[in-house]
Amino acid sequence: MLHNSVTDKLWGLFHALNSLQFGQRLRRLQEWARAYVSHEIVLKKLVALNARATQFKLTFASSQAYRTSNQVDRLINYPDRILYQMQYFHGSEHSTQMALRAMALLWNFHPYCQKIQGDCAFTCSPFRDLNGFSYHNHWLKNLLIASSLNGTGMGNFLNTN
């Protein structure tokens, strides 16, 4: 019961239309929490939101800004799992950096699953979505060309738009 009430109020807070409405909803949340939340830890966390209100309000300066970090969190989960499997940083800083760069490079060029490709005919990889073109139809050849000097715009490439 408390969990549902708190999550509903928090989502209402993040769905505010502007910073003034956000501030008002935050004040109402604080009042509600002090009156109805008896769990000390939950109350402490809800009251602590006030200290970060100015940071949260920054998102209202841009209408395109996201209110939560879900999209970033989803991307970070993959490297976090890989690092966990590597037992984090048991090698040198350089080897860790190279492993993360290789992982990011592969992630940017790997083809999407068939379901995603079926939903949108022109979507095949993050690289193509970001740049609007591919050097080659095969993802590995596309990676090799893009990561070589031939990918700097010198010469011809296969435009698959």
Side-chain angles (χ1 to χ4, degrees):
M1 179 79 176
L2 175 65
H3 178 267
N4 292 343
S5 297
V6 170
T7 54
D8 287 347
K9 292 186 181 302
L10 285 172
W11 277 116
L13 178 69
F14 285 103
H15 284 282
L17 300 176
N18 55 45
S19 63
L20 292 175
Q21 190 178 48
F22 178 85
Q24 182 182 20
R25 288 181 182 189
L26 181 59
R27 285 189 297 279
R28 298 294 173 261
L29 175 66
Q30 303 285 316
E31 292 168 3
W32 175 84
R34 287 187 178 96
Y36 295 104
V37 176
S38 58
H39 297 291
E40 187 177 329
I41 295 171
V42 175
L43 179 62
K44 185 177 179 181
K45 293 289 185 183
L46 291 173
V47 170
L49 287 173
N50 240 5
R52 298 185 57 204
T54 54
Q55 291 174 315
F56 291 132
K57 287 182 180 181
L58 289 175
T59 63
F60 295 102
S62 172
S63 61
Q64 302 288 325
Y66 291 100
R67 305 292 185 258
T68 65
S69 62
N70 288 348
Q71 291 179 321
V72 172
D73 293 342
R74 286 185 187 120
L75 289 174
I76 295 299
N77 283 339
Y78 175 71
D80 187 47
R81 282 193 305 271
I82 299 296
L83 289 172
Y84 173 77
Q85 291 168 354
M86 291 172 45
Q87 298 181 350
Y88 291 95
F89 306 111
H90 283 267
S92 67
E93 183 178 336
H94 179 73
S95 68
T96 303
Q97 227 175 20
M98 292 295 105
L100 287 172
R101 289 182 68 182
M103 180 182 12
L105 194 60
L106 284 173
W107 186 261
N108 285 329
F109 285 90
H110 82 285
Y112 290 132
C113 67
Q114 293 298 320
K115 180 184 177 200
I116 299 296
Q117 289 183 22
D119 290 346
C120 182
F122 297 108
T123 298
C124 64
S125 71
F127 175 83
R128 176 153 181 198
D129 288 350
L130 182 65
N131 295 300
F133 68 90
S134 291
Y135 293 107
H136 197 277
N137 285 331
H138 190 274
W139 76 272
L140 185 55
K141 290 182 181 179
N142 193 34
L143 164 65
L144 293 172
I145 294 168
S147 61
S148 70
L149 291 178
N150 288 333
T152 60
M154 300 167 55
N156 297 330
F157 60 87
L158 177 63
N159 190 341
T160 56
N161 280 337

